[in-house]
Amino acid sequence: MKVLNKEIGDELDSMYGLVAGRVAASGRELLIEAYEGAGLSDVEWTDDAVIISLHHGVPTHAIPHVLAIALQHVRQTLDGYPHIAEPDEPQPEGSELVRSSLRELVLESDAEAQLVSLGLDRTWENEQRHQAMKGILKAPPADWNEVDSLGNLFIALQYARMSLNHPPEMWKALQKRTEEVLPAAAERGEQALAAVKKRRWGNARNVLDSYVQLRDELGIEDLVKIEDAYGVEH
């Protein structure tokens, strides 16, 4: 399979064909493009296409896993997964980081669960994520350890996400560092981790329940609006 003029092997042939077929059945074309935006990938839905954008800096050997996660996000939408939206009330600057971290915590975990049997190479991504979190924890703002700050919520959700998806041998050092410099955020991260484990993921209903559980346990009703595939608020 060729992606952005790079040969990436055949591990994703079946998954890509299945997702592309479902996208076609919705009257759209599945496209893959390069971009220079934030993050490693992005998915955009238009009236006639679903566009997966892959960061041009992703090395060839890492493309299969990055693309597989993006394909799973397309599948999640096709399966009617709920989504996190911005509340109607004015939002404080930085609140989108909290909403995106909440999405990633649940949806990435759901996506990764679908990829276990493929054994895709995550080494490069793990290193990028590790260094990014290490950099954040080097000298975090003091208010990030205050429970009512957005920085505290951001770190707590990243803590829970990495507890679930980062290699244990790599996470151990980051966990210790978080506990040392942002103990209140680490404690809240454990709370978020326990909340998501109560409902987990695997289908639209479980994901909805996880979103609601996390929102209620963390007390972030003013920052997060949860809507199911029919636009109904929960």
Side-chain angles (χ1 to χ4, degrees):
M1 179 177 178
K2 268 196 172 184
V3 174
L4 304 178
N5 295 318
K6 298 177 180 180
E7 180 57 56
I8 67 165
D10 59 4
E11 294 99 330
L12 298 187
D13 287 0
S14 178
M15 182 190 301
Y16 181 87
L18 179 61
V19 173
R22 294 186 64 187
V23 168
S26 74
R28 298 175 176 88
E29 181 181 8
L30 183 61
L31 304 174
I32 301 176
E33 299 179 350
Y35 85 130
E36 299 183 10
L40 299 181
S41 67
D42 185 56
V43 177
E44 179 185 2
W45 288 72
T46 70
D47 290 341
D48 55 9
V50 175
I51 305 166
I52 293 177
S53 298
L54 302 180
H55 198 283
H56 72 93
V58 178
T60 302
H61 72 274
I63 288 177
H65 185 263
V66 175
L67 176 57
I69 291 291
L71 288 169
Q72 286 300 313
H73 288 332
V74 175
R75 188 269 305 166
Q76 289 164 346
T77 300
L78 291 167
D79 284 350
Y81 277 37
H83 63 279
I84 300 295
E86 181 177 330
D88 299 330
E89 300 77 15
Q91 292 294 293
E93 184 177 354
S95 62
E96 180 52 36
L97 272 177
V98 173
R99 288 187 290 275
S100 62
S101 296
L102 182 60
R103 291 186 200 101
E104 290 167 354
L105 169 57
V106 180
L107 295 185
E108 182 185 273
S109 300
D110 178 273
E112 289 288 6
Q114 300 295 318
L115 305 180
V116 173
S117 63
L118 296 179
L120 300 174
D121 187 355
R122 295 174 51 192
T123 304
W124 181 82
E125 283 177 82
N126 290 336
E127 291 171 351
Q128 300 302 304
R129 184 173 298 170
H130 189 88
Q131 291 305 317
M133 188 68 169
K134 185 177 178 181
I136 289 172
L137 294 173
K138 189 174 183 179
D143 68 348
W144 283 17
N145 205 42
E146 297 172 5
V147 175
D148 60 350
S149 73
L150 292 179
N152 180 279
L153 275 170
F154 169 69
I155 291 297
L157 290 166
Q158 291 299 316
Y159 179 104
R161 176 190 178 194
M162 296 188 79
S163 294
L164 288 170
N165 298 317
H166 205 49
E169 66 278 9
M170 298 179 74
W171 168 237
K172 187 175 181 180
L174 292 176
Q175 181 181 23
K176 182 179 180 181
R177 176 63 179 167
T178 309
E179 292 169 347
E180 289 173 348
V181 300
L182 296 172
E187 183 177 352
R188 208 171 189 190
E190 289 290 344
Q191 182 185 6
L193 183 62
V196 77
K197 283 183 175 180
K198 288 178 182 177
R199 303 296 181 180
R200 302 188 78 85
W201 43 82
N203 55 56
R205 180 72 245 182
N206 288 354
V207 167
L208 177 61
D209 289 345
S210 286
Y211 280 158
V212 171
Q213 186 81 31
L214 282 160
R215 179 198 62 194
D216 295 349
E217 289 273 353
L218 297 176
I220 53 176
E221 294 86 352
D222 57 331
L223 300 173
V224 171
K225 180 165 70 172
I226 302 170
E227 296 179 338
D228 63 24
Y230 303 100
V232 177
E233 265 191 70
H234 292 263

